[in-house]
Amino acid sequence: MLLLFDFCQKRCKYLTDSLNYRTIPPDKKITAQTMRLTTKGRFAVTAMLDLAMHAQKGAVKLNDISERQNISLSYLEQLFGKLRRAGLVDSIRGPGGGYILAAEARNISIAQIITAAEDKLDATLCSGKTNCHNGAPCLTHDLWENLNRTINQYLSSVTLETVLSQKDHHSGKAVSLTHIN
């Protein structure tokens, strides 16, 4: 998505007061409202990746994820409550307890994690209700709806295993991903 933005930043045209189109100079920054993944979604994905990497040794304590990823323990507790209710993780009580993946890493998509943590990503101003411009869809509503669909399709196609294998490929380390019951 950044590559597309960079391309548009260099090549897109804008309408001037005289209705002539001019090319935006590459050094001029374009500021626009952008859809961002919130900290909650980023932390949820990071924590799930950490869990997938360390779960082959048994249940993983949130304290350990907190220390490794520099995420506050209370924040992780909130996130893992949502992830557990969504059926993405299971909790193990007692000594040696913690969390494990509820399914194999190849069966948990990034979209599932973000949906569990944030409800949904939405680039529209109206949260998809089509009332963004005085009760009617704005001129760009369909554009943002299509972006939402594209992002969701992409994130649905990427699993924890996919991300870890890409990370593994770049670092040259072998990561074994297993599901523990």
Side-chain angles (χ1 to χ4, degrees):
M1 198 151 75
L2 274 173
L3 292 174
L4 178 61
F5 180 75
D6 288 341
F7 173 78
C8 285
Q9 189 175 11
K10 293 175 183 165
R11 302 262 190 250
C12 290
K13 301 186 181 265
Y14 66 95
L15 188 60
T16 63
D17 292 338
S18 63
L19 298 179
N20 293 323
Y21 288 99
R22 295 189 311 170
T23 302
I24 296 174
D27 59 328
K28 183 173 181 176
K29 291 190 176 188
I30 298 174
T31 57
Q33 183 178 9
T34 58
M35 179 177 66
R36 292 186 183 260
L37 177 62
T38 67
T39 301
K40 194 182 300 182
R42 289 180 189 275
F43 283 175
V45 171
T46 300
M48 287 290 285
L49 288 165
D50 186 287
L51 181 62
M53 287 175 63
H54 294 94
Q56 61 264 37
K57 300 172 190 163
V60 178
K61 295 181 182 344
L62 291 184
N63 281 345
D64 296 338
I65 296 173
S66 175
E67 287 176 17
R68 284 190 296 264
Q69 303 305 326
N70 198 26
I71 302 171
S72 103
L73 181 59
S74 62
Y75 202 74
L76 281 175
E77 288 168 347
Q78 292 172 22
L79 283 176
F80 272 76
K82 290 182 176 194
L83 295 168
R84 187 181 44 76
R85 286 189 295 278
L88 299 177
V89 298
D90 289 324
S91 61
I92 310 286
R93 295 178 184 259
Y99 285 89
I100 59 171
L101 296 177
E104 293 180 4
R106 70 171 177 250
N107 295 325
I108 299 176
S109 76
I110 303 303
Q112 289 174 298
I113 298 167
I114 292 171
T115 299
E118 301 202 36
D119 296 326
K120 72 178 202 173
L121 287 174
D122 190 6
T124 64
L125 291 175
C126 62
S127 300
K129 297 176 186 169
T130 66
N131 62 354
C132 23
H133 187 67
N134 299 322
C138 64
L139 292 174
T140 58
H141 183 83
D142 291 338
L143 171 71
W144 304 128
E145 278 292 319
N146 288 333
L147 177 62
N148 287 343
R149 221 174 350 272
T150 301
I151 289 171
N152 190 49
Q153 287 170 350
Y154 172 71
L155 293 176
S156 293
S157 73
V158 178
T159 65
L160 288 173
E161 185 176 69
T162 306
V163 175
L164 288 173
S165 66
Q166 288 172 350
K167 180 188 177 318
D168 174 48
H169 176 72
H170 293 296
S171 69
K173 294 181 182 175
V175 176
S176 171
L177 299 174
T178 57
H179 174 68
I180 298 173
N181 278 326

